[in-house]
Amino acid sequence: MRKSTFLILSFLIVMSMVLAACAPAAVATPITITSAPQVVKETQVVTQVVPATPAPVPLTYARNETLYTSGTQWGPPSSWNPFNGGGYAMGTIGLVYETLYIYDPLADKFIPWLAAQDMKWVDPTTLEIKLRDGITWTDGTPLTADDVLFTYKLADPNGDFKAGLNFAGLYNFLSSIDKVDNLTVDFKFKANPAYQEVGFYLWQTPIVQAASWSKLDVKDITGGANENGIGSGPYLFESHDQDRQVLVRNDNWWGIKAFGKTPGPKRIVDIVNGSNNVALGLVLQGGLDLSNNFLPGVATLVKGGYGVQTYYPEAPYMLSANVAALIINEQIKPLDDVNFRKAMAYAINTDDIVQTAYTGIVKAADPTGLLPIWDKYVDQDMVAKYGWSYDPAKAKQILADAGYKDVNNDKFVENKDGSPIALEVTCPSGWTDWMASIQIISKNAQAVGINMTPAYPDYGPWRDAQLKGTFQLSIQNESQMSSTPWSYYKWVFQNPIANIATAQYGNYGRYDNPKAFDLVNQLNQVKVGDDAAIKAITSQLQEITLTEYPTIPLWYNGLWSQVSNAVWTNWPSSADSANHYLPASWRGYWNMTGIEMLLDLKPAAAQ
Amino acid sequence: MAKYFRRKLLIYLLTFIIAVTVDWCIPRFMPGNPVDLIISRAGLKGSAVSQMYTFYMQAFGLDQPIWKQYLNFWIAIFHGDLGTSIFLFPSPVTKVILGAVPYDLALLIPAILTSWFAGNNFGAFAARSKRLDNTLLPLGYILTGTPYMWLGIVLAWAFGIAWRIFPIAGGYSFAMRPALTLPFIWSLFQHWFLPFASLFIVQFGGWAIGMRNLIIYELEADYSHYLAALGAPKRLVRKYAFQNAMLPQLTGLALQLGVIVAGALATEVVFSYPGIGYLILQAIHNEDYFLLQGCFLFVVIGVLLANFIIDITYVIVDPRTRAGMQGGAS
Amino acid sequence: MTKGKKRNELLYFAFRNTKLKIGLGVVLFFIVLTFVGPLIAKYNPTDSVGPAGAPPSAQFWFGTTTFGEDVFSQFVHGLSSTFLVGIVGGGLGTILGMTIGFAAGYRGGNLDEVLNVLTNVVLTIPVLALLVVISAYVKVRGVMIESLFIGVTTWPWAARAIRAQTFSLKTRDFVDLARLSGESPVKIIFTEIAPNMASYLFMTFILMFGSAILTAATLDFLGLGPTQGISLGTMMNLAVLWSALMLGMWWWFIPPGIGITAIVGGLYIMNVGLDEIFNPKLREM
Amino acid sequence: MSLNIKNLTVYYQTLKGDVQALEHANLSIADGEIMGLAGESGCGKTTLSNSLILLKPPMKLISGTVELDGKPLPITDMARMDEYRFKKVSIIPQYAMNAMNPTRKIGKMIEELLHSRRVDYSTLRTELTRRLELVKLSPDILDMYPIELSGGMKQRMVMVLSTLLNPSLLLADEVTSALDVSSQKSVSEMLVEFRKREFVKSVVVITHDISILYQIADSIMIMYAGQLAEKASTETIIHRPLHPYTHLLISSLPKVGVRYAEKRLEGIPGNPPLLLNPPIGCRFRERCPMAFDKCVEEPPFEEIEEGHFVACWKEPKSYAQA
């Protein structure tokens, strides 16, 4: 009896292990097939040089040829569609699909990528894009003006596909796109095109292959998984599983010749995040080369001999990626009163948030809310005149002057009409850094007599309240680093305000100021690179944000990045001798110099 | 026996219907419209929004009358169609779940079976004498009181970080491609071990205590006394007591399944083990109600199936149910 | 033997039962700590009062969190929500289980059939999965809501056990007598049946109490616990989110887990002790 | 003499102290004798029977010896006693209804039991079948589970099993109390038949139903509160009891042959003493209508006439006539 039980048991255990063993293998089978043409093609190229047998895909990747990344995928990779902005697998744009330009935020520079040269406006309404010669898709066919034309026309509201993609906004001022020759495309705009926005789309829009995409139905263009997509970039999709995605280097990539540089890693294995705790564990085990996770104990890691490096060797360690601001619902009392908002701005101890909630790994925001990369646009006189800092006494004074008094002696001020004030500041439950932050904010507010309490709804209701404008106070950081401060002001002054559709970002507080809206439009029409004009307009916008407090910028969320020198070296850092790239694998960041970081990665000498 | 199975089947059927109905409600009564979320995730803009909105409303059948949606849901279930994941757009929910299920089975089946057998044997062993009972069993109580995930994290830290014996994340080595080779299976095993161990340890304690209590009752049962009076050796008496105590433990297993599955979900989260537990958590955090719906349905079906297997096993091992005398008692 | 004597005898055995003494001792210790703790804890649990991540010291007995909060203060405050979940969740589950168990067991017949099916249905649905789904619906959750959820999903186990007991008790002479004397079923249940299984009900409650605490801890740990307030589960959750153990801040992660383990383990040991007291057969062991 | 008990004193150890369940029992049973053992609940009948076969904690032997077939029975030695159990001493327990493992087929259980006692089942198989038929059971029940048998069938099955190895002494504890009247009769007749066929040598029939004993017992022994009160031939006990307790017990019977339900003696005021701390001397003293000074000493269990033992200080004859 005992013996047979044991046998049955062992059998079951072995069976279930085999079951687990089979499952990923089964998942992997089609992947092997998909990469097969690539292997064949590789040999075709290689055979000309060295007569070698086709290299089979190894079962175990050599450590010194593999880059392990993490921080982008929070679930099994499911979409390889570059138009699935929020959900495409790590590297889909940047490593597999490429853009005409990439943007270097640290140098404020557009770098021609698929395009052969800097942006060239042949006249104020005509932008001419010349492509590099010799770019091929991974199926061997050349990437031409037709592909660019096709890609941009996908979003044409009057075109064949009418796919409402990210860059559909281009058509607000685009009159036509014309093919000049096989490598040249002319974008013809109506009068006063939005140069800033155009520039924004040029480094954000992935170019796809006309031949394969034109066969697709519109719903597959916007929502298809595009599992075996053909790209033009330095890496190819190789395989994926529940907890990872593997990219393999495209040894026929055009950039190898064009830049004279080959991306260091033969393979990139992107690990799906379980939690930051697990990510930290992997870093400690030496299993991650580039972790773009928010790891709380960064100071410990950098200083504790773990071989972990961040962009800055000291606080704040991280580059600033976006601004976290207190967003305010301007439709309700007393938040509709600018003086009340002003009092809140003075009441909040941002340094305490930085030190306590973030242990110093973020920077306090400039009162203008402009990211450090836009420092040059900050009107210092304006900041000196209107800028605020933590000053509870002044906050109390402002409240008193504006007529907010504690009528019922509950230590909190009441509305001017005597009705009590009870404000709630929210962030999603589980977003611990923000939770800690809004606790501090509430305490700060209470200290000056504003009755404010933190609340942590789940993400859905929290987000819903913003879209519907039913929240009171909240933290938001949607506005990311980009090529233009217009994107930030567009977020603050999103117009129209009546109905903030699901897909539109910004101005959840419904701040209504036609002058500001107009300035945002003017800013959009400034030519790329015309810093003086940008400064002139943003200066006026800064005056509005500094005196009207539509949002209260608090701190800059970091571009979380922890790198290890154990296997790969020559990482970007703030050191003078190092490359100043963005060390990020996040969506939208490979095409902000992340890819250049890969080109310069070197295997560690010891390997 | 026929009556017994009829009743059982009725209960399963009802449970299934109720579970499916609850499940159907999940995306429909959540705050916010799931289609809005898809569109917002896809990053669509402008006129495309309303276009896609209509498209998805139709695709998910959300534009139809409620009763028809409910009917369609049933039809879809029998076609294995659980809709499209929002968070893992555009993967079909069924595909996402099927990718995760093998890991769950690999974790749950061995953990449940080994802990059940080992715990029962250990409990029977400890019930042998007062000394063993007082020295070994407190361990069991401590183990059952331990939250799975807490133990999991302690194990991960000790064996993964401090001693570096086991990996702490993933289903198999991140440097490997799946293949039926020894190193790969070894890698699977290494990644499986800690999640398995944390499930095993906690459940082991529970079964040990259960068996200890039951076997003490059984040893005081009349048949045990009769055997002793007829001079049967202790071994035989214990054997009978053990076998008879296994029956309530089998029922206990059925009762515990839900709890065990819950524990597995938490454990998977701790070890980033790519099973359904991790998916459920991500589905919640990402408001992916279709995925949540699918996971819930899968868990329910899994538990129902397991219950059914246990019921059949019970009938096989317990003559009383076969004799038809116990029809309604379980 | 009269009732008084029986009670004395139970007390007599209770005082001699090591398991009960240990279990009760542990649980009482934490109960006392729940009430006394906030008085001796010097800090507000959510205030940043010390250096970040400081190890245990004379000033901060359990050290501090990443945010400089006093872990000891959090621990003692967390205890109260843990006990609250146990009492409310476990209590509600027991009461529901009693109501349904009594009704099914005493009435029998069709009512029993229906309730039995209901019990089995709820029993088969994985509670945590259900709780996870329910929790995801509620915007702002408190400890009471959480307890409520736990109570209404965990009763079937108790209902089954109580039904079986009621079944065997209702055929006894004294119940027949009460029935013949025309007493109402409700009265019979509460004056004749319930007192005769009081010990059983009490033990059921203790088990429900323990399992409610564990369930709540799991929910909290998954981030589905109270969105307001602090519990041992949310402490663990936060400690994990801030990688306490990985960064060597064991004092943040270990105490809440030990607290839960000790309370639940203590409850279970206590239950076995009680079992031995109420059940003479087991006393000999 | 088949069984010879000398000065047997057995206590139950409890946390509160010793329960003096059996005090100074002296008793002999002859080969082939069916002795009835009667008394109220808690008088020590079952203690006596258990000490002969399964004396284990909390039971504790205080003094006394037991001889079976002229050889001492190692009643306190659990391991050595195993050799005698089943083979020399056997029991039909009070709980015969639940005595068989519910999850084993009966035949399988018997096989495993015999195997564990190193008895070859196959050679006994025919005898077993024969005996089953004798008690009107089909051999098919060996392939059944206990739950498939009725109460009477289980009772008879246990009878056959317990006597399978032809023990010298069979302890039959309340064998009839759970059965209906007709089954009672056949079961008790079977006991006599078993003795006749020498499946058993002597039998102790423990019961509170004296009417059964009247039909089958050769002799009857009455116990009260852990002490032997009287033993004599059935005829003598029924018609000429000497002990006041026996007298009251018999006279309280509604009518010989009518079933006697378990109840306290109504004719005698008071309750039996608690055995945790029993009164010294005759334990019946406080309820005895005849009690006098001497009763504070424990009366010896003496043979008044041949085969008639009594433990009472009173002049026997005068009482009998009174």
Side-chain angles (χ1 to χ4, degrees), chain A residues 422-468:
Chain A
L423 294 170
E424 201 172 62
V425 56
T426 59
C427 80
S429 179
W431 295 25
T432 45
D433 43 350
W434 286 17
M435 286 164 75
S437 304
I438 64 173
Q439 280 174 19
I440 293 171
I441 292 170
S442 312
K443 273 179 205 144
N444 290 161
Q446 287 167 13
V448 301
I450 299 173
N451 181 8
M452 190 191 293
T453 47
Y456 320 104
D458 277 319
Y459 176 82
W462 174 78
R463 179 78 184 136
D464 212 43
Q466 292 176 9
L467 294 176
K468 293 197 175 116

Side-chain angles (χ1 to χ4, degrees), chain B residues 66-104:
Chain B
I66 286 281
W67 65 268
K68 192 129 192 248
Q69 290 187 31
Y70 184 69
L71 200 70
N72 289 343
F73 186 66
W74 274 100
I75 296 169
I77 282 177
F78 285 107
H79 287 95
D81 174 14
L82 294 169
T84 305
S85 166
I86 297 170
F87 155 62
L88 299 173
F89 187 81
S91 290
V93 167
T94 319
K95 190 180 150 198
V96 174
I97 292 173
L98 286 179
V101 161
Y103 291 101
D104 286 289

Side-chain angles (χ1 to χ4, degrees), chain A residues 79-139:
Chain A
S79 169
W80 296 265
N81 184 339
F83 297 130
N84 180 359
Y88 62 70
M90 193 285 288
T92 300
I93 294 182
L95 298 185
V96 179
Y97 290 93
E98 294 171 297
T99 48
L100 293 172
Y101 291 86
I102 64 172
Y103 175 71
D104 182 348
L106 298 178
D108 186 20
K109 217 170 62 184
F110 281 78
I111 300 164
W113 202 249
L114 293 175
Q117 47 189 241
D118 287 343
M119 258 178 257
K120 189 176 144 199
W121 289 86
V122 288
D123 63 56
T125 55
T126 309
L127 173 66
E128 186 170 285
I129 302 287
K130 264 200 175 338
L131 294 170
R132 287 174 195 266
D133 198 0
I135 300 176
T136 54
W137 296 104
T138 50
D139 64 357

